[in-house]
């Protein structure tokens, strides 16, 4: 074999690519329709979903029509066309059988019905009187319509068009080449009835598919709603855990840290026990934060979620930038020597400023906000003040626990927090936090110790 036969030329390859990228033409569509017309696969007619006690009503109606058209076909063949023998018995049975078969195999029922109609047309060809319709008997046209409807309910629109076209072409060819003398025409009536039946089946099928997709969409929406409810419940649990446990564990840790300084000449065993209490409290807080992170996460199983450290006042600029991006005019002023504080004071100060700015966003849209932080020798002073809002605040669905939470945070460290409206309009939140959280509790604990002694 030479090299040219093994490797196609560039022109051949280009033509193959062009042909592959081109949409299927009319010939391919026709071949697809013909293939589907002869596809005799099972496609049962679905039951009615509502009401349930009428679920099998369509099937009962179809069976009744099959029996009805079988008897009326026998009557017309014997009384109007004087047909007897096999032609009087077999075709009517096939007419009824085609309707029943179309319940499960629509295209098989279509070809049985069309074939039996052609057989009847051949049987009555020599018995046609003046003005009698041919190739369709009056009963034959209406017996074929339910079969065509059952086809249109289950197959794509292009196949429905193909089935209607086959029936109409059969009618036209029969009348054009084999029409008996003095017979009436059935082509116009058959064309109108078959076209209307195909259109009705297409409309009903489209409605059923649209309803099915709507149910699927409602199912997806309900699943999404359940997922959102689950996430909200997990967030609520996370907040409850934080409010109930985190503050108390922080107090235990601080008390364990300052307790050795409240006792004269504490023993090494006491120091070790208190250090163990503080270590356990800090470990519990760390585990609690990890659990809260899992509860708040939409993907708790994702290992990529790293544990971030707690925020401090060093991240204040980022917090203010985020609030400015949300539409508030925020200015900051820091007095005193800026220095790192204990983790509890840093976190509490950051959370107070964060909650106060969040309240400004919710309740004072368009206002000017001033954030002041003063580092004193022993205390940290915070002041977050906003002017009157320039537009009406939208209703807030919150529970209104922000100020309470800020007071609890400040009180946990022995500090104070005050909040209220300003004389010229607006609102102000001010807090004083001790640099050493042990200072406020020292006196009370010492007095209690001496009293017990």
């Amino acid at each position: 074999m030479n090299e040219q036969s093994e490797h196609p030329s560039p022109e051949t390859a280009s033509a193959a690519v062009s042909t592959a990228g081109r949409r299927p033409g009319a010939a391919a569509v026709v071949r697809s329709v013909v293939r589907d017309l002869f596809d005799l696969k099972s496609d049962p007619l679905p039951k009615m979903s509502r009401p349930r006690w009428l679920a099998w009503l369509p099937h009962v109606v179809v069976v009744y029509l099959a029996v009805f058209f079988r008897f009326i076909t026998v009557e017309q063949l014997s009384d109007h066309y004087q047909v007897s023998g096999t032609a009087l018995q077999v075709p009517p049975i096939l007419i009824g059988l085609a309707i029943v078969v179309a319940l499960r195999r629509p295209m098989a029922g279509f070809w049985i019905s069309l074939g039996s109609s052609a057989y009847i047309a051949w049987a009555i060809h020599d018995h046609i009187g003046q003005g009698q319709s041919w190739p369709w008997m009056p009963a034959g046209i209406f017996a074929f319509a339910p079969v065509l409807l059952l086809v249109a309910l289950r197959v794509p629109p292009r196949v429905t068009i193909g089935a209607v076209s086959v029936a109409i072409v059969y009618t036209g060819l029969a009348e054009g080449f084999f029409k008996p003398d003095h017979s009436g025409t059935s082509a116009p009536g058959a064309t109108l009835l078959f076209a209307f039946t195909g259109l009705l089946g297409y409309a009903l099928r489209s409605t059923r598919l649209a309803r099915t997709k709507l149910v699927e969409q409602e199912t997806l929406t309900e699943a999404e709603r359940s997922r959102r409810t689950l996430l909200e419940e997990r967030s609520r649990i996370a907040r409850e855990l934080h409010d109930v446990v985190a503050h108390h564990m922080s107090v235990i840790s601080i008390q364990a840290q300052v307790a050795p300084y409240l006792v004269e000449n504490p023993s090494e065993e006491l120091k070790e026990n208190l250090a163990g209490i503080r270590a356990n409290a800090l470990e519990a807080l760390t585990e609690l934060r990890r659990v809260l992170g899992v509860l708040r996460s939409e993907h708790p199983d994702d290992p990529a979620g790293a544990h971030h450290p707690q925020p401090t006042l060093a991240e204040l600029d980022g917090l203010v930038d985020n609030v400015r991006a949300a539409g508030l005019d925020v200015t900051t002023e820091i007095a005193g020597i800026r220095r790192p504080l204990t983790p509890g004071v840093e976190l509490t100060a950051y959370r107070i400023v964060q909650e106060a700015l969040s309240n400004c966003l919710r309740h004072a849209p368009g206002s000017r906000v001033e954030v002041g932080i003063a580092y004193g020798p022993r205390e940290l002073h915070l002041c977050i003040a906003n002017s009157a809002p320039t537009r009406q605040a939208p209703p807030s669905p919150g529970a209104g626990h922000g100020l309470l939470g800020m007071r609890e945070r400040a009180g946990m460290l022995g500090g104070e927090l005050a909040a209220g409206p300003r004389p010229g309009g607006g609102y102000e939140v001010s807090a004083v936090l001790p640099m050493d959280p042990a200072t406020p509790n020292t006196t009370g604990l010492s007095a209690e110790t001496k009293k017990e002694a």
Side-chain angles (χ1 to χ4, degrees), residues 53-70:
W53 63 278
L54 290 179
W56 293 98
L57 178 62
H59 302 74
V60 174
V61 171
V62 170
V63 173
Y64 172 79
L65 290 177
V67 176
F68 171 77
F69 282 115
R70 188 265 177 190

Side-chain angles (χ1 to χ4, degrees), residues 7-17:
H7 301 281
S9 63
E11 293 79 2
T12 305
S14 177
V17 172

Side-chain angles (χ1 to χ4, degrees), residues 1-82:
M1 184 179 295
N2 57 24
E3 184 177 354
Q4 291 181 353
S5 61
E6 295 178 356
H7 301 281
S9 63
E11 293 79 2
T12 305
S14 177
V17 172
S18 177
T19 303
R22 195 183 306 141
R23 290 184 177 181
V29 174
V30 171
R31 286 195 299 269
S32 175
V33 171
V34 172
R35 183 174 60 252
D36 290 337
L37 284 174
F38 289 95
D39 187 359
L40 307 182
K41 65 181 179 181
S42 175
D43 188 4
L45 182 69
K47 298 184 295 184
M48 291 181 62
S49 57
R50 296 178 183 177
R52 291 185 177 180
W53 63 278
L54 290 179
W56 293 98
L57 178 62
H59 302 74
V60 174
V61 171
V62 170
V63 173
Y64 172 79
L65 290 177
V67 176
F68 171 77
F69 282 115
R70 188 265 177 190
F71 283 106
I72 198 172
T73 302
V74 170
E75 181 183 358
Q76 288 190 1
L77 283 174
S78 61
D79 295 345
H80 298 278
Y81 295 94
Q82 286 76 43

Side-chain angles (χ1 to χ4, degrees), residues 181-197:
D181 297 335
H182 310 298
S183 65
T185 178
S186 59
T191 301
L192 291 176
L193 180 61
F194 297 162
F196 172 77
T197 303

